[in-house]
């Protein structure tokens, strides 16, 4: 009986166990299937995320780029083939003249330059720039040009832009050492309309520019947007920096070259005189001007050997210009050869590197953190000599215009940051009159010019 | 002797100075990377031997539709080698950088090789997928790219559609229902064929990849025949990936001659052999015979015969609001 009970119990128990195992197997299969399904779902979600990330990366690659910084506003297509930039330059100056012999109206504040600068690129190789200037008393178009970049060594530029002659003149306005360029820039052409080819060879070891232009007069602060004569001028410049890319630190910042222009013929019958409206001092006062009825008449040429040297905080810039022009009045004709030279230098007291393209402060001004930006001491000497024949032939009045001007200047520049700059400088100019003459009182050249400049500048 | 040496030296200088370096950009579709890597090397060698000039050929790959749009948007392709004629037509009509009759300029409708759509399944074919009917069954996960962006996906869609029409005595509604079921089984839509291959072969998603024949063979070669197997359906479509120079671009680049030669050479014995070796169906009898073993026999319908050409097929099925938009719900 006991055996039967045991057998019965065993059989019943086994049945339950088998049933239980079978149920477990089904559960395991179900679970396996669920795991597989979940695994697929997870893989799909991961892959979808991967695809979304790829798509986002692709979109990012093709999305236009917009940036705003110390270099202004920059809008660019994803491939950088189309770029639009907005820059600006505002210079707020003061000039205070001392012992000026009663010359009126020259002291005061002025908005020297106020320029929105629109520049950019279309179709990768075509650059453009448009720069109106609302500073001074008239609105001018300073730059309006297109530039085709085939390569760094071959570019074609057309429109209105700086003539490729003077070294100091070609330096960008926001980075010149002093508020005003020196006497030497009085003898080179300003911005002109024309077409030039230009380029940098071997990464700037050599650079060249040569073009045909309307033929600007000696430096004229007011530029025009059309031609005043049929004759055209050829202007060009070569500049070398042989050690620019070398390891010779002491020579890397040495550059030298020569600029020149040639105007084959300026007819005396033009409505414009073809001559400078006047040579001006550092304080922008005219100390020489031609008499009315005097015209450029024939060949004109300029040559300007030039050099700079930058080494650490030291910067030096030197330039000589000869400007030769045949002129005539109703009764006389002569070839006048005026010349000028200048040497200027700066030392960055705070140790930053000086360069032709300016100074970038290592520690931008931040009063809270005791940072004061960069400070630079600057000095300059310049001279301009007019041809005696200008007075001897009566082309200029020896009682109103000076025969030469010699100017020295010292100053202190404060670069608060890459965009803000403040200048304070003093300039003294002595004049000499034509032999045997004396400049009459009330004229700029009758006494030395002493002027204190200041400037607040925003450039981006 | 010295004079002779001088002449030789001068001649060498002249020859080396005359050797040009020419750059070509081939904008292609997704799975042709390997084909054109090999072909470019062969053509470069051929061109150097023929002219002395060096050709540097860059390749760009992606979904065929996307690639065509990139060219329309300004990608400076010297030649396009895309998945289907419609995409090159789009360049012709939208960018106007090549003539409308571009397809008549080279033999075989400018398609130097052909291909078709097959199935790639995991080893052992666990879901027992034999034909198109099997991939629309519930529970079968199908991997194929997005027909909106991928040329291969459009061929695939049309192959499936053609099968459904064939099976349902040209009943369009039944074919649409078939396609609807198929895309219901697609969990991920990649933008191109290579992306789908990654999804299926590398990420382990899905039971079947609807693939270009060459892509399926490439997966076997790359991942091993012990992991996947190719299933040839009873019916598929004759895919003819066409090629063309982009006339205005080559004219601007000064590469017309070399670009034409680049495409002509695809029809040469060497070009055809490279196509066959990369599992594209060659056009030349010699290469076709040599690689016949790689390609299964199956009934192949044509885009013109079954769908009235690409323009019509595109408008009906893939244009915005077309059949695909109607049946596919992500």
């Amino acid at each position: 009986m006991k055996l039967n009970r045991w057998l019965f119990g065993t059989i019943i128990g086994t049945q339950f166990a088998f049933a239980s195992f079978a149920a477990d197997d089904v559960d395991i299969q179900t679970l396996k299937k669920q795991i597989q399904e979940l695994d697929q779902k997870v893989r799909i979600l991961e892959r979808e995320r991967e695809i979304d990330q790829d798509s986002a990366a692709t979109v990012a690659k093709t999305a236009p780029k917009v940036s705003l910084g110390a270099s202004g506003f920059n809008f660019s297509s994803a491939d950088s083939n189309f770029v639009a930039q907005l820059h600006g330059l505002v210079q707020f100056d003061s000039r205070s003249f001392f012992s000026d012999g009663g010359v009126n109206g020259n002291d005061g504040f002025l908005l020297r330059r106020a320029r929105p600068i629109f520049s950019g690129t279309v179709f990768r190789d075509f650059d453009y720039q448009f720069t109106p200037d609302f500073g001074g008393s008239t609105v001018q178009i300073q730059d309006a040009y297109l530039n085709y970049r085939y390569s760094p060594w071959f570019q074609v530029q057309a429109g209105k832009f700086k003539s490729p002659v003077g070294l100091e003149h070609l330096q960008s306005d926001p980075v010149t050492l002093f508020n005003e360029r020196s006497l030497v820039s009085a003898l080179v052409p300003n911005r002109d309309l024309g077409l030039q080819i230009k380029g940098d060879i071997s990464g700037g070891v050599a650079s060249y520019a040569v073009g045909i232009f309307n033929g600007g007069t000696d430096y004229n602060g007011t530029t025009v947007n059309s031609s005043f004569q049929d004759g055209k001028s050829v202007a060009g410049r070569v500049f070398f920096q042989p050690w620019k890319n070398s390891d010779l630190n002491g020579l890397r910042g040495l550059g030298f070259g020569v600029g020149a222009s040639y105007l084959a013929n300026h007819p005396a019958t033009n409505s414009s005189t073809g001559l400078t409206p006047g040579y001006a001092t550092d304080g922008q006062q005219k100390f020489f001007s031609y008499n009315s009825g005097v015209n450029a008449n024939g060949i004109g040429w300029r040559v300007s050997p030039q050099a700079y040297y930058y080494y650490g905080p030291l910067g030096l810039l030197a330039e000589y210009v000869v400007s030769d022009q045949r002129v005539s009045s109703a009764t006389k004709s002569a070839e006048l050869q005026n010349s000028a030279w200048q040497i200027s230098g700066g030392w960055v007291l705070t140790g930053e590197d000086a360069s032709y393209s300016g100074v970038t402060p290592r520690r931008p001004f931040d009063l809270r953190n005791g940072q004061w930006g960069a400070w630079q001491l600057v000095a300059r000497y310049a001279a301009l000599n007019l041809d005696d024949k200008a007075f001897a032939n009566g082309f200029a009045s020896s009682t109103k215009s000076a025969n030469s001007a010699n100017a020295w200047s010292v100053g202190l520049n404060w670069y608060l940051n890459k965009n803000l700059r403040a200048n304070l400088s003093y300039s003294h100019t002595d004049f000499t009159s034509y032999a045997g003459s004396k400049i009459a009182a009330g004229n700029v050249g009758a006494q030395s010019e002493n002027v204190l400049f200041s400037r607040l500048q925003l450039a981006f | 002797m010295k004079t002779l040496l001088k002449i030789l030296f001068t001649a060498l200088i002249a020859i080396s100075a005359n050797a040009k370096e020419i750059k070509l950009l081939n904008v292609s579709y997704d799975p042709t990377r390997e084909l054109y890597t090999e072909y470019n090397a062969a053509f470069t060698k051929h061109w150097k031997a023929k002219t002395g000039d060096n050709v540097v050929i860059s390749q760009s790959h992606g979904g065929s539709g996307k690639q065509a749009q990139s060219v329309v948007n300004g990608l400076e392709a010297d030649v396009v080698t895309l998945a289907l004629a419609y995409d090159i037509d789009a360049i012709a009509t939208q960018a106007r950088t090549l003539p409308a009759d571009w397809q008549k300029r080279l033999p075989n409708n400018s398609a130097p090789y052909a291909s078709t759509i097959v199935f790639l399944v995991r080893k052992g074919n666990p879901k027992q997928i034999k034909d198109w009917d099997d991939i629309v069954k519930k529970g079968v996960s199908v991997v194929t790219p997005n027909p909106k962006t991928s040329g291969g996906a459009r061929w695939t869609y049309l192959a499936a559609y053609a099968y459904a029409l064939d099976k349902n005595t040209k009943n369009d509604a039944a074919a649409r229902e078939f396609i609807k079921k198929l895309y219901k089984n697609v969990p991920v839509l990649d933008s191109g064929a290579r992306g789908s291959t990654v999804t299926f072969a590398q990420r382990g998603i899905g039971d079947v990849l609807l693939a270009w024949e060459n892509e399926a063979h490439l997966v076997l070669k790359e991942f091993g025949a012990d992991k996947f197997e190719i299933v040839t359906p009873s019916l598929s479509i004759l895919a003819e990936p066409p090629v063309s120079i982009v006339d205005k671009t080559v004219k601007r680049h000064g590469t017309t001659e070399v670009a034409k030669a680049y495409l002509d050479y695809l029809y040469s014995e060497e070009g055809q052999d490279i196509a066959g070796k990369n599992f594209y169906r060659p056009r030349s009898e010699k290469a076709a015979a040599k690689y016949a073993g790689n390609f299964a026999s199956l009934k192949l319908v044509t885009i013109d015969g079954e769908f009235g050409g690409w323009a019509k097929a595109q408008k009906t099925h893939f244009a915005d609001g077309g059949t695909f938009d109607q049946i596919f719900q992500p």
Side-chain angles (χ1 to χ4, degrees), chain A residues 376-400:
Chain A
Q376 183 185 37
L377 272 177
V378 290
R380 180 171 74 195
Y381 190 86
L384 191 154
N385 296 300
L386 281 308
D387 196 319
D388 287 349
K389 293 196 287 289
F391 300 99
N393 290 289
F395 299 141
S397 165
S398 59
T399 58
K400 290 181 180 173

Side-chain angles (χ1 to χ4, degrees), chain A residues 14 62 89 112 148 153 244 271 277 301 303 338 381 452:
Chain A
T14 308
T62 54
L89 172 65
R112 181 69 177 85
Y148 169 63
W153 55 267
K244 186 182 181 186
S271 56
W301 56 265
V303 175
N338 303 326
Y381 190 86
L452 181 70

